[in-house]
Amino acid sequence: MTTNPSRTRARLAAAACALALIAAAQAQAPGIKRTILQRTDIGDREVVLGMAEIAPGGSTGRHTHPGIETGYVLEGSTVLVIDGEAPRVLKAGDSYSIAAGKVHDARAEGPGAAKVIATYVVEKGKPLASPAP
């Protein structure tokens, strides 16, 4: 039996796409909805603008980014925990910055959801976020 190289490549591409979708689904912590609003290339990096909505009692889960994250709390309040720093309570109107590679987590604080808009300047070709222990 001979194998068709085109069919083999197509199957490998389909398998790679399926694995990427599974990894993306696993990276999305329960209780949070992340929406990418815009991506812009700038040389060897890219700027990513996103919105995160954290359900009441929900959390982003401990994770890192391959670049800096800056953000602004649109609604509600959140507790931002960055390894090596004291936890900070951020409310609507507050802004924050997280250095590249710093392990952090955010959870909604209070009775309502928290909504944050964030800008990431990250290395191209790397996942936007990676889970951390």
Side-chain angles (χ1 to χ4, degrees), residues 25-90:
Q26 289 173 340
Q28 184 89 352
I32 182 167
K33 176 184 174 191
R34 290 183 176 101
T35 306
I36 301 297
L37 303 172
Q38 186 177 43
R39 292 182 108 100
T40 306
D41 284 348
I42 52 169
D44 64 339
R45 297 192 175 271
E46 69 176 328
V47 177
V48 180
L49 180 65
M51 173 105 49
E53 298 174 72
I54 308 170
S59 165
T60 62
R62 290 171 49 82
H63 64 283
T64 62
H65 304 285
I68 190 171
E69 172 185 352
T70 62
Y72 178 82
V73 181
L74 295 169
E75 297 175 10
S77 65
T78 181
V79 175
L80 177 62
V81 179
I82 302 172
D83 279 7
E85 299 180 19
R88 293 186 296 172
V89 176
L90 303 171

Side-chain angles (χ1 to χ4, degrees), residues 48-50 67-72 95-98 116-121:
V48 180
L49 180 65
I68 190 171
E69 172 185 352
T70 62
Y72 178 82
S95 63
Y96 64 91
S97 181
I98 303 168
V116 175
I117 191 157
T119 302
Y120 309 87
V121 180

Side-chain angles (χ1 to χ4, degrees), residues 6-7 10 12 25-27 55 63 85-86 88 94-95 103 106-107 110 112 122-124 132-133:
S6 294
R7 185 175 288 172
L12 288 173
Q26 289 173 340
H63 64 283
E85 299 180 19
R88 293 186 296 172
D94 289 340
S95 63
V103 175
R107 68 179 184 278
V122 295
E123 295 176 54
K124 268 196 242 180

Side-chain angles (χ1 to χ4, degrees), residues 8-25:
T8 301
R9 281 192 296 276
R11 285 182 182 153
L12 288 173
C17 286
L19 288 172
L21 288 172
I22 290 167

